[in-house]
Amino acid sequence: RTVYVNGDYLPESEGRVSIFDRGFLFADGVYEVTTVLDGKLVDFDGHAARLERSLRELDMPMPMTRDALLEVHHRLVAENDIDEGLVYLQVTRGAADRDFAYPAEETEQTVVLFTQAKPGLAKAPEKGLSVDLQPDLRWGRRDIKTVQLLYPSMAKMAAKRAGHDDAWMHEPGGTITEGTSNNAYIVKGNTIVTRQLGNEILHGITRAAVLRLAREAQMKVEERAFTVEEAQSADEAFVTSASTFVMPVTSIGGKAVGDGQPGRIAGRLREIYLDEARAKAL
Ligand code: PMP
């Protein structure tokens, strides 16, 4: 594979960053994952806008213009011949002597991009996900897409060890925040419920598109916190993320959701999301 490191396109074995990189020492960096369908980028501008916001919240500038970033994405997709897959992008504050204080502003940011081929990514899921329940022990700025992913990684491993596919995380009052790497939804009757935006969850790019499409299709949407009990007595549940689109959830904390089969509304949303994603991809 060809990777991009600070302006250079290199074979992956030659990609290097400093041991003093603040991404490595402090998780002082942010990332984006953009999906590739039919060799084209899904919602590139949504991801670029969120990258800029994440960086701004951490007092970092965009390392290059939107157009330059698009060009790097396109070149990697072409060189690595990606038809279905993803482009991973990471920007850190760069390498400097280890110090909690940020280094001088001139410090060069580290910018790394690579691709992952995922053939069959958009195939219809054969079954729904079983999600475990885990306490949400992450920091308080989950709206910033930082590379500090250790807790979600631990929560996902705990879920897998208990025989589940993933975990939904919950707060002390029993309200669900989101999945380890996706936004969480329940459906009651014809109403889709998902947590409102705030510092407690990542502002999913797929979430924004799916909620817009649901409203355009005259479905009812409520953006509010929901509890574990509500989730376990819902008619349907699903998750969204760039690389999984809309995925049905059929079990929550060991309890079957509805009839235990992937839901109709989740299936419909997946279809309309994928149709638009392909049609608008860059
Ligand atoms: N929440 C979390 C915690 C995530 O890590 C992700 C994916 N990175 C999402 C939600 C989904 O966001 P998106 O739709 O932009 O992929």
Side-chain angles (χ1 to χ4, degrees):
R1 272 187 304 189
T2 298
V3 301
Y4 174 94
V5 185
N6 296 329
D8 296 323
Y9 293 87
L10 305 165
E12 65 177 56
S13 58
E14 289 174 26
R16 294 270 184 280
V17 295
S18 166
I19 65 162
F20 298 110
D21 195 276
R22 288 181 59 93
F24 180 57
L25 298 177
F26 290 99
D28 187 358
V30 302
Y31 75 108
E32 282 295 331
V33 176
T34 304
T35 290
V36 180
L37 286 179
D38 313 320
K40 294 194 284 186
L41 300 160
V42 176
D43 213 339
F44 172 81
D45 282 300
H47 290 281
R50 184 172 61 189
L51 172 67
E52 185 161 12
R53 177 183 183 277
S54 291
L55 288 166
R56 191 183 332 119
E57 292 298 314
L58 299 174
D59 301 318
M60 277 190 264
M62 275 288 264
M64 61 182 97
T65 63
R66 174 255 181 214
D67 289 357
L69 202 56
L70 180 60
E71 196 183 308
V72 178
H73 279 71
H74 277 155
R75 180 154 165 197
L76 288 179
V77 167
E79 289 206 11
N80 295 322
D81 201 16
I82 306 294
D83 180 52
E84 286 188 352
L86 51 89
V87 181
Y88 177 89
L89 153 72
Q90 178 167 328
V91 180
T92 78
R93 207 180 303 273
D97 265 355
R98 185 177 180 280
D99 187 341
F100 280 70
Y102 297 166
E105 287 207 5
E106 315 75 83
T107 307
E108 206 192 321
Q109 288 168 295
T110 301
V111 183
V112 168
L113 288 93
F114 57 80
T115 57
Q116 279 180 351
K118 301 255 179 199
L121 189 65
K123 274 201 334 243
E126 279 159 25
K127 57 184 192 59
L129 300 175
S130 164
V131 299
D132 193 13
L133 294 165
Q134 293 286 334
D136 196 337
L137 303 180
R138 296 174 298 167
W139 77 324
R141 289 303 305 276
R142 303 160 191 161
D143 57 311
I144 309 174
K145 198 166 169 61
T146 73
V147 295
Q148 37 163 329
L149 298 175
L150 182 55
Y151 185 73
S153 185
M154 289 167 70
K156 180 148 188 171
M157 283 313 295
K160 283 193 166 280
R161 283 191 205 106
H164 302 279
D165 300 304
D166 199 352
W168 279 11
M169 297 178 286
H170 56 84
E171 302 170 305
T175 41
I176 305 275
T177 51
E178 60 187 333
T180 59
S181 63
N182 44 56
N183 290 112
Y185 307 71
I186 57 172
V187 180
K188 193 80 185 169
N190 283 320
T191 304
I192 299 163
V193 183
T194 194
R195 191 175 179 108
Q196 73 281 4
L197 296 181
N199 293 348
E200 301 78 19
I201 62 168
L202 185 75
H203 302 187
I205 301 305
T206 319
R207 176 188 182 282
V210 164
L211 293 186
R212 175 176 48 74
L213 290 166
R215 288 178 171 124
E216 283 170 14
Q218 318 301 328
M219 297 178 190
K220 223 183 131 221
V221 175
E222 282 179 16
E223 294 181 69
R224 62 169 177 83
F226 60 88
T227 63
V228 168
E229 291 69 41
E230 254 185 294
Q232 289 180 323
S233 62
D235 298 320
E236 284 189 35
F238 61 94
V239 292
T240 66
S241 75
S243 57
T244 63
F245 319 115
V246 177
M247 277 293 279
V249 167
T250 47
S251 163
I252 300 172
K255 287 214 170 134
V257 179
D259 61 5
Q261 296 303 309
R264 193 179 49 81
I265 289 180
R268 172 104 202 285
L269 284 172
R270 184 180 173 94
E271 258 172 50
I272 57 181
Y273 174 79
L274 277 168
D275 284 349
E276 185 186 80
R278 286 189 199 280
K280 287 193 179 166
L282 285 183

